[in-house]
Amino acid sequence: MATNTVNKFGRELESFFSLAIMNIAISGIAMALSISFIVTNLAAIDIAFEGGVVTIGPIAIWPAPQFFLAVLAFIAAGISLKWMVSSAEILSDVDDLRDEYKAISGQGGIEAKAEGATQGSDALTSLIVKTMAYYRSRKTVIRRLSLISMAGGLVFIVSGIWQAYSGLMSIGTPGAGALELGLVAVSVAISLTVGIAGIIIPRYFSKYSATWEYRLGESAKAEEELKKVLGGSR
Amino acid sequence: MRQGRRTEYEIYWEILSFCRSGKTFTQIIGRCDLNSKNGQEYLDFLSEKGYILRSNEGERNLYKTTGKAGEFLDLFARLYQELFDRGPEFKL
C-alpha cells in the first residue's frame, strides 16, 4: 500500500506542477497579448482621428472600435497580471513540495523504507500532512485563480470575436490587404486559443480541489479516531 | 515554504515523530513552525498524556517521545496514508 501511495503522491504532484506551469505560460502569453493590443489599438485610434471622422463601413461612429478594444486590452492586462502573480505563488509552493518529495524519494527513502521502517513511513506521512496543510491554506488562492483564469479566458474570447468582426468589416476598405487580414487572422487565432485555455484550466483546478476536499472530509473522520486514542486535545 | 494550516492532531504527530530522538524546545518549535507559547502548550499536553518525556542531558532539556505514543503515531500514519491512498486521484 505504501509504495502505491508514494507513486500516487508523486503522480499528483507532477500533475499539479504541470498545471501550474501551464498557467504561468498561458498567463504570460495573455499578458504579452494584452500589452500588444493596448499599443496597437491606441496607435490605431490616433491614425483614425487623423481623418476627422471614424467610420465602419457606411456608419460614422464615436468612439472608434479601437477605443473599446484598448479598454478591453487594459482589463485583460490587469487580469493577466493577477493571473500570473497567483500562478507564480502556486508554482513556487508546489516546487518546494516537489523538491522535498524528490529529496526523500531520491535517497532511496520513501519507497525503500515505507515497506516497514518507521523513518520511511514518517517521511511519507509528513509529506501528506504538509500537502494537506498547503491545500487548506491555499484553497482560497486556488479558487481565485480559477475565477481569474475564467475571466481572462472570457475577455480573450470576446477580444478575439471583436477582432474577427472588425477584420471582416474592414474587408474591401483601403489599407486592408491580404497581409493585414492575415495578421488579423493570426491575432484572432491566438486570442481564441488563450481564451479557450483560460476556460479549460479552471476545470482542472476544480478537479484538484474536489480531490483534496474529499481528503479533508475523510481526515475529519480520521480525527475522531485519533481523538479517542489521544483522549481529547489541549 | 511556510507550514500551511494544520490541525491540532497533525501538530501532535509532527512533534511526536520529530522527538523520536530527544530534541530541545528550540529545535521543536523551529521544526514544527510554532511560537513559544503554543509550542509549550502542545508539549505540556503531550507530557500530561505521558507521550513525551522531558529529561536533562548536561545543560540541555530534551523532549523525547515515549513508547506510549506509539499507538497514536501508528494510527495517525495509517489513517493519513489510507485517506490519500483511497478515493480519487488528481490527474491532468
Tab-separated table of all heavy atoms in Angstrom, chain A residues 114-163:
chain	number	residue	atom	x	y	z
A	114	ALA	N	9.377	2.700	3.251
A	114	ALA	CA	7.971	2.690	3.636
A	114	ALA	C	7.410	1.286	3.821
A	114	ALA	O	6.366	1.129	4.418
A	114	ALA	CB	7.139	3.430	2.593
A	115	GLU	N	8.111	0.319	3.321
A	115	GLU	CA	7.603	-1.035	3.450
A	115	GLU	C	7.538	-1.466	4.916
A	115	GLU	O	6.852	-2.401	5.253
A	115	GLU	CB	8.485	-2.019	2.658
A	115	GLU	CG	8.428	-1.801	1.167
A	115	GLU	CD	7.027	-1.906	0.593
A	115	GLU	OE1	6.200	-2.664	1.131
A	115	GLU	OE2	6.747	-1.191	-0.376
A	116	GLY	N	8.219	-0.830	5.770
A	116	GLY	CA	8.130	-1.253	7.166
A	116	GLY	C	8.818	-0.292	8.106
A	116	GLY	O	8.336	-0.039	9.195
A	117	ALA	N	9.909	0.277	7.656
A	117	ALA	CA	10.691	1.111	8.571
A	117	ALA	C	9.954	2.389	8.953
A	117	ALA	O	9.269	2.987	8.142
A	117	ALA	CB	12.026	1.460	7.924
A	118	THR	N	10.135	2.785	10.188
A	118	THR	CA	9.459	3.961	10.729
A	118	THR	C	9.847	5.227	9.980
A	118	THR	O	9.003	6.050	9.663
A	118	THR	CB	9.859	4.129	12.211
A	118	THR	OG1	9.697	2.876	12.838
A	118	THR	CG2	9.034	5.168	12.896
A	119	GLN	N	11.131	5.341	9.649
A	119	GLN	CA	11.630	6.574	9.022
A	119	GLN	C	10.938	6.836	7.682
A	119	GLN	O	10.540	7.962	7.385
A	119	GLN	CB	13.133	6.442	8.810
A	119	GLN	CG	13.828	7.783	8.758
A	119	GLN	CD	15.313	7.618	8.505
A	119	GLN	OE1	15.873	6.532	8.646
A	119	GLN	NE2	15.933	8.703	8.103
A	120	GLY	N	10.801	5.802	6.884
A	120	GLY	CA	10.152	5.938	5.579
A	120	GLY	C	8.693	6.293	5.719
A	120	GLY	O	8.179	7.170	5.017
A	121	SER	N	8.026	5.647	6.653
A	121	SER	CA	6.609	5.914	6.884
A	121	SER	C	6.410	7.343	7.389
A	121	SER	O	5.489	8.038	6.969
A	121	SER	CB	6.067	4.908	7.904
A	121	SER	OG	4.714	5.158	8.136
A	122	ASP	N	7.308	7.777	8.271
A	122	ASP	CA	7.237	9.146	8.793
A	122	ASP	C	7.426	10.163	7.679
A	122	ASP	O	6.731	11.179	7.628
A	122	ASP	CB	8.332	9.370	9.847
A	122	ASP	CG	7.883	8.928	11.235
A	122	ASP	OD1	6.735	8.442	11.354
A	122	ASP	OD2	8.680	9.056	12.182
A	123	ALA	N	8.389	9.882	6.786
A	123	ALA	CA	8.671	10.819	5.691
A	123	ALA	C	7.448	10.967	4.788
A	123	ALA	O	7.073	12.073	4.404
A	123	ALA	CB	9.864	10.328	4.882
A	124	LEU	N	6.824	9.842	4.492
A	124	LEU	CA	5.634	9.867	3.638
A	124	LEU	C	4.476	10.586	4.334
A	124	LEU	O	3.823	11.460	3.747
A	124	LEU	CB	5.238	8.429	3.280
A	124	LEU	CG	3.948	8.245	2.479
A	124	LEU	CD1	4.023	8.985	1.152
A	124	LEU	CD2	3.690	6.757	2.216
A	125	THR	N	4.240	10.237	5.594
A	125	THR	CA	3.148	10.873	6.340
A	125	THR	C	3.392	12.374	6.462
A	125	THR	O	2.466	13.180	6.314
A	125	THR	CB	3.004	10.241	7.747
A	125	THR	OG1	2.996	8.827	7.609
A	125	THR	CG2	1.733	10.682	8.438
A	126	SER	N	4.644	12.740	6.688
A	126	SER	CA	4.989	14.159	6.821
A	126	SER	C	4.663	14.917	5.532
A	126	SER	O	4.120	16.027	5.582
A	126	SER	CB	6.476	14.278	7.162
A	126	SER	OG	6.868	15.607	7.117
A	127	LEU	N	4.974	14.304	4.388
A	127	LEU	CA	4.667	14.954	3.109
A	127	LEU	C	3.155	15.088	2.908
A	127	LEU	O	2.673	16.103	2.411
A	127	LEU	CB	5.252	14.139	1.958
A	127	LEU	CG	6.595	14.601	1.422
A	127	LEU	CD1	7.067	13.690	0.310
A	127	LEU	CD2	6.528	16.032	0.906
A	128	ILE	N	2.425	14.056	3.312
A	128	ILE	CA	0.962	14.106	3.179
A	128	ILE	C	0.407	15.227	4.061
A	128	ILE	O	-0.429	16.013	3.624
A	128	ILE	CB	0.329	12.736	3.537
A	128	ILE	CG1	0.715	11.696	2.481
A	128	ILE	CG2	-1.192	12.841	3.646
A	128	ILE	CD1	0.309	10.269	2.809
A	129	VAL	N	0.914	15.314	5.292
A	129	VAL	CA	0.455	16.369	6.216
A	129	VAL	C	0.763	17.748	5.628
A	129	VAL	O	-0.086	18.642	5.624
A	129	VAL	CB	1.112	16.196	7.613
A	129	VAL	CG1	0.889	17.429	8.486
A	129	VAL	CG2	0.573	14.958	8.311
A	130	LYS	N	1.980	17.900	5.094
A	130	LYS	CA	2.378	19.201	4.525
A	130	LYS	C	1.498	19.573	3.333
A	130	LYS	O	1.085	20.729	3.197
A	130	LYS	CB	3.839	19.144	4.067
A	130	LYS	CG	4.781	19.474	5.179
A	130	LYS	CD	6.189	19.574	4.683
A	130	LYS	CE	7.092	19.696	5.906
A	130	LYS	NZ	8.433	19.252	5.677
A	131	THR	N	1.232	18.586	2.477
A	131	THR	CA	0.425	18.881	1.289
A	131	THR	C	-1.002	19.220	1.687
A	131	THR	O	-1.628	20.106	1.101
A	131	THR	CB	0.453	17.679	0.311
A	131	THR	OG1	1.779	17.209	0.221
A	131	THR	CG2	-0.031	18.056	-1.062
A	132	MET	N	-1.479	18.519	2.695
A	132	MET	CA	-2.840	18.784	3.171
A	132	MET	C	-2.920	20.197	3.782
A	132	MET	O	-3.852	20.944	3.513
A	132	MET	CB	-3.178	17.728	4.218
A	132	MET	CG	-4.634	17.524	4.403
A	132	MET	SD	-4.845	16.031	5.334
A	132	MET	CE	-5.626	15.042	4.140
A	133	ALA	N	-1.916	20.532	4.584
A	133	ALA	CA	-1.867	21.862	5.205
A	133	ALA	C	-1.733	22.930	4.118
A	133	ALA	O	-2.356	23.997	4.197
A	133	ALA	CB	-0.693	21.936	6.169
A	134	TYR	N	-0.946	22.600	3.092
A	134	TYR	CA	-0.763	23.523	1.971
A	134	TYR	C	-2.106	23.779	1.285
A	134	TYR	O	-2.467	24.917	1.014
A	134	TYR	CB	0.241	22.925	0.969
A	134	TYR	CG	0.162	23.564	-0.388
A	134	TYR	CD1	0.737	24.813	-0.607
A	134	TYR	CD2	-0.523	22.957	-1.430
A	134	TYR	CE1	0.632	25.418	-1.840
A	134	TYR	CE2	-0.631	23.553	-2.662
A	134	TYR	CZ	-0.049	24.784	-2.861
A	134	TYR	OH	-0.167	25.395	-4.081
A	135	TYR	N	-2.851	22.701	1.053
A	135	TYR	CA	-4.146	22.876	0.377
A	135	TYR	C	-5.094	23.718	1.229
A	135	TYR	O	-5.766	24.612	0.724
A	135	TYR	CB	-4.791	21.524	0.034
A	135	TYR	CG	-6.161	21.735	-0.575
A	135	TYR	CD1	-6.285	22.248	-1.860
A	135	TYR	CD2	-7.318	21.513	0.167
A	135	TYR	CE1	-7.533	22.519	-2.404
A	135	TYR	CE2	-8.569	21.777	-0.376
A	135	TYR	CZ	-8.669	22.280	-1.661
A	135	TYR	OH	-9.901	22.561	-2.191
A	136	ARG	N	-5.109	23.432	2.545
A	136	ARG	CA	-6.006	24.204	3.434
A	136	ARG	C	-5.708	25.696	3.353
A	136	ARG	O	-6.612	26.513	3.294
A	136	ARG	CB	-5.824	23.760	4.894
A	136	ARG	CG	-6.589	22.522	5.246
A	136	ARG	CD	-6.643	22.318	6.751
A	136	ARG	NE	-6.801	20.914	7.045
A	136	ARG	CZ	-5.820	20.106	7.431
A	136	ARG	NH1	-4.597	20.569	7.611
A	136	ARG	NH2	-6.058	18.835	7.644
A	137	SER	N	-4.410	26.039	3.358
A	137	SER	CA	-4.077	27.463	3.382
A	137	SER	C	-4.152	28.108	1.999
A	137	SER	O	-4.228	29.327	1.907
A	137	SER	CB	-2.702	27.682	4.001
A	137	SER	OG	-1.750	26.962	3.286
A	138	ARG	N	-4.127	27.277	0.948
A	138	ARG	CA	-4.105	27.850	-0.397
A	138	ARG	C	-5.411	27.691	-1.165
A	138	ARG	O	-5.474	28.106	-2.324
A	138	ARG	CB	-2.976	27.198	-1.213
A	138	ARG	CG	-1.602	27.714	-0.866
A	138	ARG	CD	-1.458	29.130	-1.291
A	138	ARG	NE	-0.094	29.603	-1.164
A	138	ARG	CZ	0.262	30.851	-1.341
A	138	ARG	NH1	-0.626	31.751	-1.651
A	138	ARG	NH2	1.509	31.231	-1.209
A	139	LYS	N	-6.399	27.097	-0.530
A	139	LYS	CA	-7.588	26.811	-1.340
A	139	LYS	C	-8.308	28.080	-1.807
A	139	LYS	O	-8.892	28.080	-2.891
A	139	LYS	CB	-8.536	25.826	-0.659
A	139	LYS	CG	-9.198	26.225	0.587
A	139	LYS	CD	-10.025	25.009	1.028
A	139	LYS	CE	-10.860	25.300	2.226
A	139	LYS	NZ	-11.626	24.106	2.617
A	140	THR	N	-8.195	29.154	-1.039
A	140	THR	CA	-8.807	30.418	-1.476
A	140	THR	C	-8.074	30.944	-2.714
A	140	THR	O	-8.707	31.418	-3.661
A	140	THR	CB	-8.733	31.472	-0.350
A	140	THR	OG1	-9.058	30.832	0.870
A	140	THR	CG2	-9.678	32.613	-0.578
A	141	VAL	N	-6.735	30.851	-2.682
A	141	VAL	CA	-5.941	31.325	-3.830
A	141	VAL	C	-6.275	30.479	-5.072
A	141	VAL	O	-6.430	31.016	-6.171
A	141	VAL	CB	-4.421	31.228	-3.530
A	141	VAL	CG1	-3.590	31.658	-4.733
A	141	VAL	CG2	-4.059	32.077	-2.338
A	142	ILE	N	-6.414	29.165	-4.864
A	142	ILE	CA	-6.715	28.275	-5.995
A	142	ILE	C	-8.093	28.620	-6.579
A	142	ILE	O	-8.260	28.684	-7.789
A	142	ILE	CB	-6.628	26.789	-5.554
A	142	ILE	CG1	-5.171	26.435	-5.273
A	142	ILE	CG2	-7.209	25.855	-6.619
A	142	ILE	CD1	-4.945	25.079	-4.652
A	143	ARG	N	-9.048	28.885	-5.689
A	143	ARG	CA	-10.396	29.249	-6.159
A	143	ARG	C	-10.328	30.579	-6.932
A	143	ARG	O	-10.924	30.729	-7.983
A	143	ARG	CB	-11.337	29.355	-4.954
A	143	ARG	CG	-12.803	29.179	-5.348
A	143	ARG	CD	-13.691	29.112	-4.138
A	143	ARG	NE	-13.356	27.988	-3.267
A	143	ARG	CZ	-13.350	28.043	-1.939
A	143	ARG	NH1	-13.638	29.146	-1.319
A	143	ARG	NH2	-13.061	26.978	-1.224
A	144	ARG	N	-9.549	31.532	-6.372
A	144	ARG	CA	-9.430	32.844	-7.018
A	144	ARG	C	-8.760	32.703	-8.386
A	144	ARG	O	-9.163	33.325	-9.363
A	144	ARG	CB	-8.609	33.770	-6.115
A	144	ARG	CG	-8.776	35.230	-6.474
A	144	ARG	CD	-8.165	36.146	-5.463
A	144	ARG	NE	-6.735	35.922	-5.318
A	144	ARG	CZ	-6.060	36.018	-4.180
A	144	ARG	NH1	-6.678	36.304	-3.072
A	144	ARG	NH2	-4.773	35.826	-4.134
A	145	LEU	N	-7.747	31.833	-8.425
A	145	LEU	CA	-7.027	31.596	-9.672
A	145	LEU	C	-7.965	31.043	-10.744
A	145	LEU	O	-7.886	31.428	-11.909
A	145	LEU	CB	-5.883	30.614	-9.411
A	145	LEU	CG	-4.816	30.482	-10.478
A	145	LEU	CD1	-4.160	31.819	-10.749
A	145	LEU	CD2	-3.766	29.478	-10.050
A	146	SER	N	-8.856	30.151	-10.331
A	146	SER	CA	-9.834	29.587	-11.277
A	146	SER	C	-10.708	30.694	-11.845
A	146	SER	O	-10.955	30.745	-13.052
A	146	SER	CB	-10.744	28.584	-10.567
A	146	SER	OG	-10.008	27.485	-10.179
A	147	LEU	N	-11.159	31.592	-10.952
A	147	LEU	CA	-12.034	32.685	-11.399
A	147	LEU	C	-11.301	33.642	-12.325
A	147	LEU	O	-11.831	34.054	-13.357
A	147	LEU	CB	-12.592	33.452	-10.187
A	147	LEU	CG	-13.603	32.701	-9.317
A	147	LEU	CD1	-13.959	33.519	-8.082
A	147	LEU	CD2	-14.877	32.401	-10.111
A	148	ILE	N	-10.039	33.965	-11.930
A	148	ILE	CA	-9.251	34.891	-12.750
A	148	ILE	C	-8.999	34.282	-14.127
A	148	ILE	O	-9.123	34.941	-15.162
A	148	ILE	CB	-7.895	35.216	-12.061
A	148	ILE	CG1	-8.135	36.032	-10.787
A	148	ILE	CG2	-6.978	35.985	-12.992
A	148	ILE	CD1	-6.907	36.151	-9.908
A	149	SER	N	-8.645	32.991	-14.118
A	149	SER	CA	-8.364	32.306	-15.381
A	149	SER	C	-9.609	32.295	-16.270
A	149	SER	O	-9.531	32.552	-17.475
A	149	SER	CB	-7.902	30.881	-15.050
A	149	SER	OG	-7.865	30.105	-16.187
A	150	MET	N	-10.753	32.036	-15.646
A	150	MET	CA	-12.029	32.025	-16.384
A	150	MET	C	-12.325	33.418	-16.943
A	150	MET	O	-12.674	33.563	-18.122
A	150	MET	CB	-13.141	31.577	-15.420
A	150	MET	CG	-14.506	31.481	-16.016
A	150	MET	SD	-14.689	30.064	-17.075
A	150	MET	CE	-15.058	28.794	-15.890
A	151	ALA	N	-12.145	34.450	-16.091
A	151	ALA	CA	-12.408	35.835	-16.531
A	151	ALA	C	-11.464	36.215	-17.667
A	151	ALA	O	-11.888	36.787	-18.679
A	151	ALA	CB	-12.237	36.796	-15.358
A	152	GLY	N	-10.161	35.866	-17.506
A	152	GLY	CA	-9.170	36.149	-18.549
A	152	GLY	C	-9.561	35.452	-19.847
A	152	GLY	O	-9.506	36.048	-20.925
A	153	GLY	N	-9.973	34.207	-19.733
A	153	GLY	CA	-10.390	33.435	-20.907
A	153	GLY	C	-11.541	34.102	-21.624
A	153	GLY	O	-11.513	34.257	-22.855
A	154	LEU	N	-12.528	34.550	-20.862
A	154	LEU	CA	-13.704	35.195	-21.470
A	154	LEU	C	-13.321	36.495	-22.168
A	154	LEU	O	-13.777	36.762	-23.285
A	154	LEU	CB	-14.771	35.463	-20.398
A	154	LEU	CG	-15.517	34.225	-19.887
A	154	LEU	CD1	-16.439	34.581	-18.736
A	154	LEU	CD2	-16.320	33.567	-21.010
A	155	VAL	N	-12.449	37.279	-21.488
A	155	VAL	CA	-12.022	38.551	-22.092
A	155	VAL	C	-11.325	38.287	-23.430
A	155	VAL	O	-11.575	38.972	-24.425
A	155	VAL	CB	-11.104	39.345	-21.122
A	155	VAL	CG1	-10.432	40.509	-21.841
A	155	VAL	CG2	-11.889	39.860	-19.933
A	156	PHE	N	-10.469	37.257	-23.460
A	156	PHE	CA	-9.751	36.963	-24.704
A	156	PHE	C	-10.677	36.421	-25.792
A	156	PHE	O	-10.471	36.699	-26.966
A	156	PHE	CB	-8.575	36.018	-24.441
A	156	PHE	CG	-7.362	36.780	-24.015
A	156	PHE	CD1	-7.086	36.970	-22.683
A	156	PHE	CD2	-6.538	37.380	-24.952
A	156	PHE	CE1	-5.995	37.716	-22.275
A	156	PHE	CE2	-5.447	38.132	-24.558
A	156	PHE	CZ	-5.173	38.304	-23.211
A	157	ILE	N	-11.688	35.685	-25.393
A	157	ILE	CA	-12.641	35.197	-26.398
A	157	ILE	C	-13.429	36.377	-26.988
A	157	ILE	O	-13.568	36.499	-28.210
A	157	ILE	CB	-13.575	34.126	-25.793
A	157	ILE	CG1	-12.784	32.818	-25.658
A	157	ILE	CG2	-14.823	33.910	-26.662
A	157	ILE	CD1	-13.523	31.670	-25.051
A	158	VAL	N	-13.889	37.277	-26.099
A	158	VAL	CA	-14.613	38.468	-26.577
A	158	VAL	C	-13.707	39.292	-27.493
A	158	VAL	O	-14.112	39.722	-28.574
A	158	VAL	CB	-15.107	39.327	-25.375
A	158	VAL	CG1	-15.636	40.668	-25.841
A	158	VAL	CG2	-16.180	38.577	-24.601
A	159	SER	N	-12.436	39.437	-27.042
A	159	SER	CA	-11.491	40.218	-27.843
A	159	SER	C	-11.273	39.566	-29.211
A	159	SER	O	-11.219	40.256	-30.240
A	159	SER	CB	-10.174	40.341	-27.067
A	159	SER	OG	-9.147	40.711	-27.912
A	160	GLY	N	-11.149	38.234	-29.224
A	160	GLY	CA	-10.955	37.502	-30.481
A	160	GLY	C	-12.138	37.698	-31.412
A	160	GLY	O	-11.959	37.945	-32.612
A	161	ILE	N	-13.350	37.612	-30.839
A	161	ILE	CA	-14.564	37.771	-31.665
A	161	ILE	C	-14.618	39.198	-32.227
A	161	ILE	O	-14.915	39.423	-33.396
A	161	ILE	CB	-15.824	37.436	-30.834
A	161	ILE	CG1	-15.842	35.927	-30.524
A	161	ILE	CG2	-17.110	37.841	-31.568
A	161	ILE	CD1	-16.868	35.496	-29.499
A	162	TRP	N	-14.277	40.141	-31.355
A	162	TRP	CA	-14.305	41.552	-31.766
A	162	TRP	C	-13.297	41.825	-32.885
A	162	TRP	O	-13.595	42.503	-33.883
A	162	TRP	CB	-14.011	42.443	-30.560
A	162	TRP	CG	-14.417	43.883	-30.774
A	162	TRP	CD1	-14.163	44.665	-31.866
A	162	TRP	CD2	-15.176	44.684	-29.884
A	162	TRP	NE1	-14.698	45.905	-31.700
A	162	TRP	CE2	-15.329	45.955	-30.493
A	162	TRP	CE3	-15.724	44.479	-28.627
A	162	TRP	CZ2	-16.010	46.993	-29.876
A	162	TRP	CZ3	-16.394	45.519	-28.008
A	162	TRP	CH2	-16.548	46.753	-28.635
A	163	GLN	N	-12.102	41.262	-32.713
A	163	GLN	CA	-11.080	41.449	-33.762
A	163	GLN	C	-11.549	40.829	-35.072
A	163	GLN	O	-11.344	41.399	-36.150
A	163	GLN	CB	-9.784	40.774	-33.335
A	163	GLN	CG	-9.047	41.478	-32.226
A	163	GLN	CD	-7.904	40.607	-31.776
A	163	GLN	OE1	-6.915	40.491	-32.478
A	163	GLN	NE2	-8.052	39.971	-30.634
